[in-house]
Amino acid sequence: MTRPPTPAATTTAAPRTSPPTHPAPRAINLARTTATATRVLRQLRHDPRTIALMILIPCLMLLLLRYVFDGSPRTFDSIGASLLGIFPLITMFLVTSIATLRERTSGTLERLLAMPLGKGDLIAGYALAFGAVAVVQSVLATGLAVWALGLDVTGSAWLLLLVALLDALLGTALGLFVSAFASSEFQAVQFMPAVIFPQLLLCGLFTPRSEMHPVLEGISNVLPMSYAVDGMNEVLKHTDVTTAFVRDVLIVAACALFVLTLGAATLRRRTA
């Protein structure tokens, strides 16, 4: 006579469940963005060379420029305001592109994106962190140029500060964007001649854009650095806020926002 099956024999194993996956966040979350910015600032605090590059180098370049034209103060007045916006853009581009690439090659970016952290949160967090550094950088450079080096400005120094800050944010956005296309820090540095130098030559710093070849003038009209220099020149020549200044500021801000959006769209977890 066979025994009836025991209850243990008739029970079936519970189906295995896969670990929960985090849905990809769609909208930018303020808490996630702030946490990312705090992490980046904490890392920067332990990297004094990077802090020196971002904050002190523009000031040192302005100081050097002032005494290069020591015998011609008017020359410093004519180009000093323009370079006050160009120097922060260049330094923020260089530091941001390398720092973001280092996050990708070290695997940090891949681990972050495996968490409930969207690309928009990550890009916005980086922009917020480097933007905070850009504020310090712009304040120091503007204060040094106007009050210590005697830069003669017809308009308000606060307007100079505004344009310098927007230029630094534009450099941050460009650095975040081009870092997606570099596989090493050396390649990230190589993007500077491709992205920054053409704008530097065509922005109107060396010669008025209206006197360039028509083709080059047309190209300069679509480059954001041209409007950054134009905005600085408006402050240099006019006491009041002009329509042209408002236009230039809005174009630079719109370009920075557009490039940040492109940076979020092209952000990859790992560099091939």
Side-chain angles (χ1 to χ4, degrees):
M1 184 175 180
T2 59
R3 295 182 180 179
T6 60
T10 58
T11 57
T12 58
R16 294 182 179 180
T17 58
S18 58
T21 58
H22 300 288
R26 295 182 179 179
I28 294 180
N29 182 276
L30 180 59
R32 293 191 292 259
T33 300
T34 306
T36 301
T38 303
R39 180 185 63 82
V40 174
L41 289 175
R42 190 180 300 115
Q43 290 178 341
L44 288 176
R45 187 183 61 183
H46 299 291
D47 191 351
R49 288 178 295 181
T50 300
I51 294 176
L53 178 62
M54 289 190 293
I55 294 180
L56 298 181
I57 292 300
C59 296
L60 291 177
M61 291 298 100
L62 287 171
L63 184 65
L64 177 63
L65 184 70
R66 168 63 182 84
Y67 290 103
V68 165
F69 297 107
D70 189 43
S72 180
R74 291 186 179 180
T75 304
F76 176 72
D77 291 335
S78 62
I79 68 173
S82 299
L83 292 177
L84 183 60
I86 292 175
F87 286 156
L89 190 153
I90 294 175
T91 55
M92 294 304 294
F93 171 85
L94 183 61
V95 171
T96 306
S97 59
I98 293 177
T100 309
L101 180 65
R102 189 178 301 168
E103 294 263 279
R104 184 182 294 110
T105 54
S106 64
T108 303
L109 184 62
E110 187 173 8
R111 292 192 296 270
L112 289 173
L113 291 180
M115 302 168 61
L117 181 71
K119 294 181 179 181
D121 299 321
L122 190 65
I123 291 295
Y126 273 101
L128 183 61
F130 287 110
V133 179
V135 171
V136 179
Q137 178 194 73
S138 301
V139 169
L140 291 178
T142 303
L144 176 69
V146 175
W147 291 294
L149 301 181
L151 180 66
D152 187 13
V153 181
T154 302
S156 172
W158 294 105
L159 297 180
L160 278 183
L161 176 60
L162 174 62
V163 181
L165 177 58
L166 289 176
D167 291 344
L169 292 177
L170 177 62
T172 299
L174 289 171
L176 290 171
F177 175 64
V178 303
S179 66
F181 304 99
S183 57
S184 66
E185 295 182 9
F186 179 67
Q187 288 186 4
V189 174
Q190 286 179 312
F191 272 105
M192 178 174 287
V195 177
I196 300 298
F197 286 0
Q199 297 191 66
L200 187 61
L201 294 175
L202 299 176
C203 68
L205 178 65
F206 301 103
T207 185
R209 293 193 287 130
S210 59
E211 298 179 7
M212 297 179 183
H213 189 280
V215 174
L216 296 181
E217 182 183 0
I219 296 174
S220 70
N221 289 335
V222 299
L223 298 177
M225 190 183 291
S226 301
Y227 298 95
V229 171
D230 287 349
M232 287 293 192
N233 289 332
E234 287 294 314
V235 180
L236 194 66
K237 299 175 182 178
H238 300 89
T239 56
D240 300 326
V241 177
T242 63
T243 304
F245 173 81
V246 175
R247 179 206 62 190
D248 296 334
V249 166
L250 290 178
I251 289 176
V252 174
C255 288
L257 183 60
F258 176 69
V259 175
L260 281 176
T261 304
L262 287 180
T266 57
L267 186 64
R268 293 177 289 128
R269 292 187 177 188
R270 186 183 296 272
T271 300

